Amino acid sequence: MERIASFTINHLNLMPGLYVSRRDAKGDCVTTTFDLRITAPNREPVIDTPALHTIEHLAATYLRNCESKEDVIYFGPMGCRTGFYLLLAGDYESRDIVDLMVEMFTFIRDFKGEVPGASAKDCGNYLDMNLGMANYLAKKYLDEVLIDIKPERLTYPE
């Protein structure tokens, strides 16, 4: 079997960043998959499940209500819990969505109150939330990665 693209990235050198993971084309339609890497794999603690779940709810809510909402296909956590995947309709570079990610993570950093969709009626595991940790991780990602992002945080390492 062929190795999938995400398993060919050297995770020992991968830093938190905003990377294009892949592009897929079907006819005239291109989908860009972004790797929103929040923690350094195998070197920093992974994101705990309640914070991951909270970020997922807040980011999905933000993305489905922002100016780019028509291009949003999917937002969700990585199984390794070091970040998230964002799929957008269109052929993008990482630099193209920096402003969108700054806006989204600022929304998450500053969010207070009831997490959207955090009820038994709306979510299959609504009690598994941690807003305080989601706020903290959003601030950390903004401060250490997104604000004044460096070129090496926009392209996968060799």
Side-chain angles (χ1 to χ4, degrees), residues 34-45:
F34 292 96
D35 172 335
L36 283 61
R37 196 61 63 147
I38 308 295
T39 65
N42 304 307
R43 296 179 307 285
E44 291 184 303

Side-chain angles (χ1 to χ4, degrees), residues 43-62:
R43 296 179 307 285
E44 291 184 303
V46 299
I47 304 167
D48 73 320
T49 306
L52 194 79
H53 191 198
T54 306
I55 292 170
E56 177 194 17
H57 275 240
L58 292 171
T61 298
Y62 180 84

Side-chain angles (χ1 to χ4, degrees), residues 68-139:
S68 302
K69 67 183 176 185
E70 298 303 320
D71 293 335
V72 176
I73 296 171
Y74 173 78
F75 180 86
M78 296 175 177
C80 63
R81 298 186 348 221
T82 61
F84 297 86
Y85 288 117
L86 170 63
L87 281 69
L88 295 178
D91 188 359
Y92 293 97
E93 298 295 332
S94 297
R95 173 72 59 201
D96 298 334
I97 69 160
V98 169
D99 289 344
L100 175 62
M101 292 299 94
V102 167
E103 293 165 10
M104 183 179 85
F105 279 94
T106 298
F107 171 79
I108 296 167
R109 179 197 67 196
D110 297 342
F111 190 87
K112 303 294 179 231
E114 289 294 314
V115 174
S119 71
K121 177 178 163 275
D122 299 333
C123 177
N125 194 11
Y126 77 102
L127 294 175
D128 193 28
M129 299 276 177
N130 185 338
L131 180 57
M133 186 56 75
N135 298 147
Y136 168 82
L137 289 168
K139 180 181 180 344

